[in-house]
Amino acid sequence: MSLAKESGFDAKALSRTGFKAADNILSSWGCTAQQSQNILKLSKSSYHKFKATPETTKLSDDQLERVSYILNMHQASSITYCI
C-alpha cells in the first residue's frame, strides 16, 4: 500500500502540492533544475512536465519521502534561524 493511501490523502493532490512546495524551497535555496531533479529523483522530462502541467504530477513513495525530508529541513531551518 502506498504512503498516500495509508495516510488517507489523495495521492494526486499530495504529489502535486508536495512537488510544488519542494521545488519552490529548492529554488529558494539556490538549487539548479538539475540539482532539484537529482534530489527529487526525477528525470529531466518528468521534472519539466510537472513544472509545466502540475496536474500531471505523480510521485512514487520514495519521491514523496524525499519531499517530506525537504519540507522538514525547511521547517527546522526556519525555526532555528527565525526565517
Side-chain angles (χ1 to χ4, degrees):
M1 184 175 258
S2 74
L3 287 172
K5 288 182 182 175
E6 287 178 13
S7 64
F9 292 102
D10 174 45
K12 286 227 28 112
L14 195 59
S15 292
R16 182 177 54 249
T17 305
F19 173 76
K20 283 182 177 181
D23 190 51
N24 286 336
I25 292 167
L26 292 170
S27 293
S28 74
W29 289 348
C31 292
T32 64
Q34 178 64 46
Q35 290 169 329
S36 295
Q37 292 163 31
N38 291 337
I39 291 168
L40 295 172
K41 209 172 191 179
L42 288 169
S43 67
K44 183 177 182 177
S45 60
S46 291
Y47 177 80
H48 290 290
K49 177 183 172 187
F50 295 163
K51 290 226 10 138
T53 54
E55 61 277 359
T56 63
T57 306
K58 177 72 172 116
L59 300 177
S60 68
D61 284 348
D62 178 59
Q63 292 164 326
L64 287 172
E65 189 172 349
R66 290 165 180 266
V67 167
S68 173
Y69 292 146
I70 293 165
L71 296 174
N72 285 318
M73 287 186 280
H74 180 69
Q75 180 183 21
S77 63
S78 295
I79 292 168
T80 302
Y81 299 108
C82 301
I83 296 173

